Structure formats: structure tokens, C-alpha cells
């Protein structure tokens, strides 16, 4: 309205001005000019209205823009927040995917059937192409566990077949069933049923990760049945266990007291050979059952094993020697302290294991725990076992081992069995499928059986040297990879006095006396 008044005033001014300047203008001319001016004013007013409308519209657009800007800012913040959540969800998904992949791999490993095994078989002869004596326990010290090097010194076929079934339940609990079928013999025939030692050596079930377990037993595993203990270990080059705990019973593995401290507890039952009724005060029951309770404790690389043994009525068993009769033990004690190293004695890369074992009474058979019912109640045995594996260079690896034992009052009062074995296996890689294996063993023994089983006191040494060209398809640099096929030549000799230790052992038999023996043969060995 203000703008219209301003235009009217201008129009009047223009009219008056025109009147003043030209009075001679006619009324019609003035009216025409006034109409033109009015039309111009109307147009100007229209433009002003349109401008005002555009300004109003612009103002509204600005308000809308401000509203959209505020909304966009809110949306931007929401998008940023959503992106952050999405990123976290993506990370969670990736983690779940990784876990799922791991679970699938675990399921593959822990569900279904699994077949594993071990086998060795070969033929051996002397330099006259006739049968010969051999074996890791061929020396007189072998009677009390004195093993020597096994390479080029085995003539048997031994097979282990393991079938396992594993499954994981919806609750997360796991189960494992295992059965082992084993056979060992020395016949070279293709059909050996008459001489077979076919045997079920293991048949047990494990239950693990039980959801109702908590505290120290949260991740533990229960087991029952007939089995080899899970934590047995050996010196492969000697075919000698460091500790072999086996039998029928039950127990629990991996009771965790801390991050690096755990324990296993087990009860194994074994049977000794029956008593001779003439020596038994209880003729109605001559079956002797031996029970072994073991606590096996682990702290990092250290292992401390403690066992107690009980065999009721075994004290009625009598052993005869030159000093008279000694009765066997009905109780015993056993312990082992071991170190499982992840290097070669801390000197270089590789592995090493060392164990010191002691046993008393029924525990005086320190390797095959609870397997000997003839040990006296005064028997004491100390054993040291150690071995290591390390690469010397790209093409050379070495594995030395030492096994030593002293056992007193073992079978009869006053007896004394002392021996020590030094063994080294050396591997030279020639190609990716061919190597040369060398093994040297030396064993010194001082044995005084005090007439037990009519054995005689002897003292002396034994040595064996073996050369074995070997073919394999696995990692040629790994001394424990299998399968292998070996050709071998072994030379052994021993002190003449050792031939007179026993009339029933290998030394001193026809064609196998001191003075040097050559053995030749071929052997395969595999495990998977």
C-alpha cells in the first residue's frame, strides 16, 4: 500500500509538471498521458508484487533449506552413528566368520571317524645269508630295560591300527572313542595266524568340555577303559619308552589350577601272572591284580609324576637266588621329574626331553609302570633318560640319546643291575627323497643277578654301527617324518664275558657270539 501511494504522488507530480511546462496541452493529451502513466504504475506495482512474492517464496525456501540443513545434519550424525555401528557389526561378523571357520575346522577334526596307525616290517640276515639275532633289547641288560639302537637291528613285523570316532554335541560337550588293534611277530610268512599275537591294546571313551563342569575342571576330560596314558613319551631311536603307563581304568585329564599349572589323575589296573600254587598261602585265589594311582602334574615345560601301587597277596610270590628266597612286594612307589624343552638343551633350535625316574618296591620297574610282579619289597631303581633333535646344517641333522639305570635288590636280595646306553642317529640329506642314515650305539653293563633265573654275573660293553640308505616322500629334513624304506648294514660286537650271562638269551647262542657280527636287510616304517 505504501508503494501505491508513492506511485500516485509521482504521477500527480508529473501531471502538475506537465501542466506547468505546457499549458497548451489539451485535456485529451493529458488524459492519455495519465492513462499511460497509470498503466506503467500498474505494471510497476505488478512487478513489485511479484518481487514481494518472490521474496516471500525465497524466505520460505530459506526456511525450508534451514529445516533441510538441520535435518541433514541430524541425518549425517545418524549416518555416522549407523556407520560406526555397521563397522562394529562388520567386525563382529568377521570375528564370527573366523570363529565359524575355526569351528568348522574343529568340527572336521573333532567329528566323525579317524584312522591312524603305525607299522614296521622287514627282513634281516647275517653275512652268511642265514637267520640272525637282533632287537633293541638284544643285550643282557635288555632284561631290565637296557635298550640299544634300533636302526638295522629289528627283525619283526609290528602293526598298530587305530580307529577313532569323535563328535561335538550341541551343548559343546565332546566325546571320543578309540580302539587299537595290534599284532607283532617274527615270521616272514604271508599267513601267520598260528604265531600271531593279535591283541586289542586299547578300547576307551573320553568325555570333554562338559557344560556342567566349572572351576578347575571346566575344560577337563574324563575317560574310562583300556588305554595307553595320553602323556607317555619315548626315545624313538632306542625303541624305549621313557614312561609307559597303561592298563584298564579311568581318570581325568587337564584339571587346571592356573594358566600354566594343571594335573591329571588316573587309576589303572593291571594283572600279574598267577602265583604258583605251591608258593601260595591262598590257593583259592592266585590271580594278582595290581592297581596304580597316579597324579601327573604339569607346570609349563616341567612334569612331575607321582604314583602309588598296590597288589594284594603278591608278597606270596617267591624269587630264588644264591642268597635264598626273596618275596615280591605288594606295594610300591614311583615318581618322575621331566623337562620337555622346545630347543636343543637351550643351545640351538630343535627339541629335547630329559627325565629322572625313581621307583621302590612294585614301582621299581620305572619305565613300564606296574608291569613287573617279581620286584621285591626292597627293590630300588633310578633311571636317567634324555634325548634331543637338532639340525646341524641344511643337509645334516643329529639326534643323540642317553639312557642309564641302576636297580638294586630288584628280584632277589643283593642283586645289582647297572647299565648305560649312548646312542646317536645322524641324517644326511642327499635329495628331497633320499637320505643316508647313520647310527652308533654303545652300552656298558655291570650285572650281578645273584643267581636269579640261573643268570651269571657279567661285566662288559656292546657297540653297534649302522649305515642305512633311506627313501622317503615326506619332509626329508624332519627326522620323524614317515613313511621310510631303508636298506641297511649293521656291525655289532661285545665283550666275550657277556656270552655267559644266560643260557636262554641271545648272546652266546650258536652263531651269535662275541667277535663281530654283520647284519643286512631292508625295512619299512610308517605312522600317520
Amino acid at each position: 500500500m505504501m508503494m501505491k501511494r508513492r506511485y500516485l504522488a509521482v504521477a500527480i507530480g508529473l501531471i502538475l509538471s506537465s501542466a506547468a511546462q505546457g499549458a497548451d496541452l489539451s485535456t485529451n493529451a493529458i488524459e492519455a498521458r495519465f492513462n499511460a502513466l497509470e498503466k506503467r504504475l500498474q505494471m510497476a506495482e505488478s512487478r513489485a508484487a511479484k518481487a514481494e512474492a518472490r521474496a516471500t517464496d525465497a524466505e520460505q525456501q530459506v526456511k525450508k533449506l534451514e529445516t533441510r540443513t538441520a535435518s541433514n545434519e541430524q541425518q549425517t550424525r545418524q549416518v555416522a552413528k549407523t556407520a560406526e555401528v555397521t563397522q562394529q557389526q562388520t567386525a563382529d561378523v568377521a570375528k564370527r566368520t573366523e570363529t565359524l571357520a575355526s569351528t568348522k575346522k574343529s568340527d572336521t577334526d573333532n567329528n566323525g571317524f579317524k584312522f591312524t596307525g603305525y607299522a614296521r616290517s622287514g627282513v634281516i640276515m647275517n653275512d652268511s645269508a642265514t637267520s640272525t639275532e637282533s632287537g633293541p633289547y638284544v643285550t643282557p641288560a635288555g632284561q631290565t630295560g637296557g635298550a640299544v639302537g634300533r636302526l638295522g637291528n629289528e627283525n619283526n613285523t609290528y602293526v598298530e591300527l587305530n580307529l577313532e570316532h569323535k563328535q561335538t554335541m550341541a551343548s559343546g560337550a565332546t566325546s571320543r572313542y578309540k580302539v587299537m588293534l595290534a599284532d607283532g611277530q617274527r615270521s616272514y610268512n604271508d599267513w601267520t595266524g598260528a604265531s600271531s599275537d593279535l591283541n586289542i591294546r586299547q578300547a576307551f571313551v573320553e568325555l570333554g568340555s562338559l557344560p556342567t563342569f566349572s572351576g578347575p575342571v571346566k575344560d577337563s576330560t574324563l575317560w574310562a577303559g583300556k588305554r595307553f596314558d595320553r602323556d607317555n613319551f619315548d626315545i624313538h631311536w632306542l625303541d624305549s619308552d621313557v614312561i609307559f603307563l597303561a592298563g584298564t581304568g579311568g581318570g581325568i585329564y587337564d584339571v587346571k589350577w592356573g594358566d600354566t599349572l594343571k594335573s591329571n589323575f588316573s587309576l589303572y589296573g593291571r594283572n600279574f601272572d598267577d602265583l604258583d600254587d605251591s608258593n601260595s598261602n591262598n590257593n583259592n585265589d592266585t590271580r594278582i591284580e595290581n592297581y596304580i594311582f597316579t597324579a601327573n602334574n604339569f607346570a609349563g615345560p616341567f612334569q612331575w609324576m607321582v604314583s602309588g601301587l598296590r597288589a594284594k597277596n603278591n608278597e606270596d610270590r617267591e624269587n630264588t637266588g644264591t642268597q635264598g628266597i626273596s618275596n615280591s612286594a605288594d606295594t610300591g612307589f614311583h615318581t618322575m621329574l621331566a623337562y620337555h624343552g622346545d630347543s636343543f638343551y637351550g643351545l640351538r633350535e630343535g627339541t629335547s626331553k630329559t627325565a629322572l625316574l625313581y621307583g621302590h618296591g612294585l614301582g621299581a620297574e620305572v619305565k613300564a609302570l606296574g608291569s613287573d610282579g617279581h620286584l621285591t619289597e626292597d627293590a630300588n631303581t633310578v633311571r636317567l633318560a634324555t634325548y634331543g633333535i637338532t639340525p646341524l646344517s641344511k643337509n645334516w641333522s643329529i639326534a643323540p640319546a642317553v639312557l642309564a639305570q641302576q636297580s638294586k635288590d630288584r628280584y632277589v636280595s643283593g642283586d645289582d643291575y647297572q647299565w648305560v646306553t649312548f646312542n646317536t642317529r645322524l641324517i644326511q640329506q642327499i635329495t628331497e627323497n633320499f637320505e643316508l642314515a647313520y647310527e652308533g650305539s654303545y652300552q656298558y653293563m655291570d650285572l650281578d643277578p645273584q643267581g636269579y633265573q640261573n643268570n651269571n654275573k657279567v661285566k662288559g660293553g656292546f657297540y653297534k654301527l649302522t649305515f642305512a640308505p633311506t627313501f622317503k616322500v615326506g619332509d626329508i629334513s624332519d627326522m620323524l617324518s614317515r613313511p621310510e624304506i631303508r636298506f641297511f648294514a649293521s656291525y655289532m660286537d661285545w665283550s666275550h664275558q657277556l656270552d655267559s650271562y644266560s643260557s636262554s638269551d641271545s648272546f652266546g647262542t650258536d652263531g651269535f657270539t662275541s667277535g663281530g657280527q654283520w647284519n643286512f636287510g631292508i625295512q619299512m616304517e610308517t605312522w600317520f
Side-chain angles (χ1 to χ4, degrees), residues 8 12 58 176 180 200 227 235 250 256 263 272 274 328 356 367 394 414 420 436 446 454 486 508 525:
L8 183 59
I12 295 171
R176 174 181 176 231
M180 174 193 281
I200 299 294
R227 73 174 301 164
I235 303 177
K256 295 182 179 179
S263 298
F272 295 145
D274 293 346
S328 297
L356 181 64
K367 179 187 73 170
K394 179 181 178 181
V420 58
L436 297 177
D446 184 355
N454 297 316
R486 317 166 180 132
E525 185 178 40

Side-chain angles (χ1 to χ4, degrees), residues 449-462:
Q450 288 289 305
Y452 178 66
Q453 295 183 338
N454 297 316
N455 294 336
N456 301 308
K457 180 179 180 179
V458 295
K459 182 188 298 186
F462 163 90

Side-chain angles (χ1 to χ4, degrees), residues 243-300:
I243 183 68
F244 182 72
L245 176 62
T248 304
I252 184 170
Y253 287 124
D254 301 326
V255 178
K256 295 182 179 179
W257 311 109
D259 291 339
T260 61
L261 182 62
K262 65 179 182 178
S263 298
N264 306 331
F265 301 98
S266 64
L267 174 65
Y268 282 93
R270 295 183 65 96
N271 284 90
F272 295 145
D273 53 318
D274 293 346
L275 295 176
D276 182 350
D277 286 349
S278 62
N279 293 330
S280 175
N281 295 323
N282 184 6
N283 294 336
N284 294 324
D285 186 7
T286 59
R287 182 179 61 184
I288 303 300
E289 295 177 343
N290 180 27
Y291 298 99
I292 311 160
F293 178 77
T294 298
N296 214 345
N297 308 287
F298 297 84

Side-chain angles (χ1 to χ4, degrees), residues 3 46 86 132 156 168 187 218 225 311 326 361 390 402 446 460 514 523:
M3 188 172 293
S46 176
T86 302
T132 185
N156 66 334
T168 302
S187 173
K218 179 180 179 181
S326 297
T390 186
V402 177
D446 184 355
S514 61
Q523 183 190 41

Side-chain angles (χ1 to χ4, degrees), residues 368-441:
L369 186 57
S371 64
D372 193 341
H374 293 270
L375 301 164
T376 72
E377 60 184 358
D378 296 321
N380 289 287
T381 301
V382 177
R383 173 180 282 207
L384 172 68
T386 184
Y387 80 95
I389 303 173
T390 186
L392 297 176
S393 66
K394 179 181 178 181
N395 297 324
W396 288 87
S397 297
I398 191 170
V402 177
L403 193 62
Q405 179 174 295
Q406 180 178 37
S407 189
K408 292 186 174 183
D409 300 320
R410 186 178 180 91
Y411 299 119
V412 294
S413 179
D415 69 12
D416 190 0
Y417 301 85
Q418 301 180 50
W419 51 261
V420 58
T421 298
F422 300 95
N423 172 265
T424 299
R425 185 174 292 192
L426 194 64
I427 300 296
Q428 179 187 10
Q429 177 181 341
I430 305 301
T431 71
E432 63 177 305
N433 298 120
F434 181 68
E435 67 184 19
L436 297 177
Y438 311 86
E439 185 172 274
S441 293

